[in-house]
Structures are given as C-alpha cells and as structure tokens.
Amino acid sequence: MPSSPGSEDPRKAGTPGVTEAPPPAEAHPNQAQEAPAAARPPEAAAPPEAGGARDDGLQAELDRTQDRLRRALADLDNYRKRVARETEQRIEQARDAVVAQWLDVVDSVERALNTTDPGPVHDGLRAFLDQMDAVLTRQGVARIGRPGERFDPERHEAIGVVESAEAEDQSILEVARSGYARGSHVLRPAQVIVARRPAA
C-alpha cells in the first residue's frame, strides 16, 4: 500500500534549506584544555631594578671583604719580617756580649805576653793567644787597628797624638789596645796613638 505523503519519516525528509549541525567533538580525556590567554593570570616577576640593586650591594660587600683580607695579609707579612729582624738583632746582641767578655780575656793574655821574657812561658802564652784569635776568626771577628793605617774615628779611638816628621799625617803610630769588628760592625774600637806633622 503506497504510503501517503504525510506519513514520511520526518528523520529522512529534512527541512528544505536547513542543514543539521554536526555533533560536538568529544574532548580526549588526556588532552588538557588550555584556558584563553586573557584568562591566564600574569606571571609574578621581581622588578629588574630591585635585583640590580641587590647585586650591587653584594659586589660592594665582596670588594670590602677582599680589601680587608689584603690588608690583613700585608700586616701579617710585615709582622713576620719585623719579628725576624728583631730576633736576628737579639741574637747578634747576645753574640756580641759573649765576644766582649772573651775580648777581656784576650787583653789579659796580651798584657801578660808583653811583660814576659822570652822562654817557655812566653811561648805558651803566644800559643794560647793564637788559639783565642782562631776562635774569634771562626766567629767572624777580626782585629782592627794596625800601625801605619789611616786613622778612622769610626774604627779607632785616639788616646794620644805625637808629632812625627817620618810618619804620614793622621796615621797610626802605635796600637795601645786592639779593636775588633764583625764585618762592618765595630765591636770595640782600637785605642791608638796618631801621628801629626810638626808645625812649620
């Protein structure tokens, strides 16, 4: 039986000029939905000028610390040098004090040698004096003041002046007591008699 036109299935006969909207696409369960750009909150960031000021302050503090460290190292180096010099000076002073006592003994032996007649005693004193001079030499101590040398007020002590036409003016005629020095350091000046040219 033919169906009447009014009995057509409305799902098959679409309305003329009207298109059906496609079904909405299903979102994938693992796909995150991004919020619109306008909906996202702005990222919080520190003002650039605040970070720059903090860096400048840290750099200034670092410079001050390094400067204090350099000053401390320089002070420590100067302290070490000063202590080394003072220690060396104390050692030299103690050594000079011992040598000065030794020189008194040498003077006594020399006086005894000058007042002793030639013989076994004289020879024994001479050997003893030579041995003492050898000890002084090993300590770097040498005699100063010999006849004929030019008088030097820093190394000689004039205890008398004698006019002499033969000797050179301001030269040493006689040594009354030997002097001693360690290098350029005079331990004891020599007591000498100095020649002077006669007045015209």
Side-chain angles (χ1 to χ4, degrees):
M1 179 176 178
S3 60
S4 62
S7 63
E8 285 186 12
D9 188 356
R11 291 176 300 177
K12 294 181 180 181
T15 305
V18 178
T19 307
E20 294 184 1
E26 296 182 0
H28 195 277
N30 295 330
Q31 182 177 0
Q33 295 182 357
E34 294 185 357
R40 290 198 300 267
E43 296 181 358
E49 58 275 4
R54 183 168 57 252
D55 293 342
D56 293 342
L58 292 176
Q59 184 62 42
E61 181 64 24
L62 177 61
D63 293 340
R64 288 192 294 268
T65 302
Q66 290 178 343
D67 183 67
R68 288 195 297 269
L69 177 60
R70 285 190 295 266
R71 291 175 182 271
L73 291 176
D75 292 341
L76 178 60
D77 186 58
N78 292 333
Y79 173 76
R80 288 175 177 173
K81 292 179 180 179
R82 184 172 65 254
V83 170
R85 287 194 302 268
E86 292 175 354
T87 303
E88 185 65 24
Q89 289 176 357
R90 287 195 293 268
I91 293 175
E92 291 294 331
Q93 291 172 357
R95 185 183 301 173
D96 292 346
V98 173
V99 171
Q101 297 176 5
W102 186 260
L103 296 181
D104 292 338
V105 179
V106 174
D107 293 340
S108 299
V109 175
E110 283 186 335
R111 286 193 295 267
L113 184 63
N114 293 332
T115 58
T116 303
D117 296 331
V121 176
H122 185 276
D123 295 342
L125 289 174
R126 168 53 61 185
F128 184 46
L129 183 60
D130 291 342
Q131 186 177 6
M132 297 176 75
D133 285 340
V135 172
L136 292 174
T137 301
R138 287 196 295 270
Q139 295 298 320
V141 179
R143 288 176 181 262
I144 57 175
R146 291 181 175 82
E149 289 183 357
R150 182 76 177 175
F151 176 75
D152 183 356
E154 294 184 356
R155 299 168 64 85
H156 308 135
E157 177 186 355
I159 60 174
V161 178
V162 176
E163 292 185 353
S164 175
E166 292 80 12
E168 184 180 355
D169 189 42
Q170 297 296 314
S171 64
I172 296 175
L173 281 178
E174 182 183 349
V175 178
R177 189 187 68 176
S178 296
Y180 294 88
R182 181 185 290 111
S184 60
H185 176 54
V186 177
L187 300 175
R188 189 181 75 181
Q191 294 180 348
V192 298
I193 298 175
V194 184
R196 182 176 62 186
R197 289 291 178 87

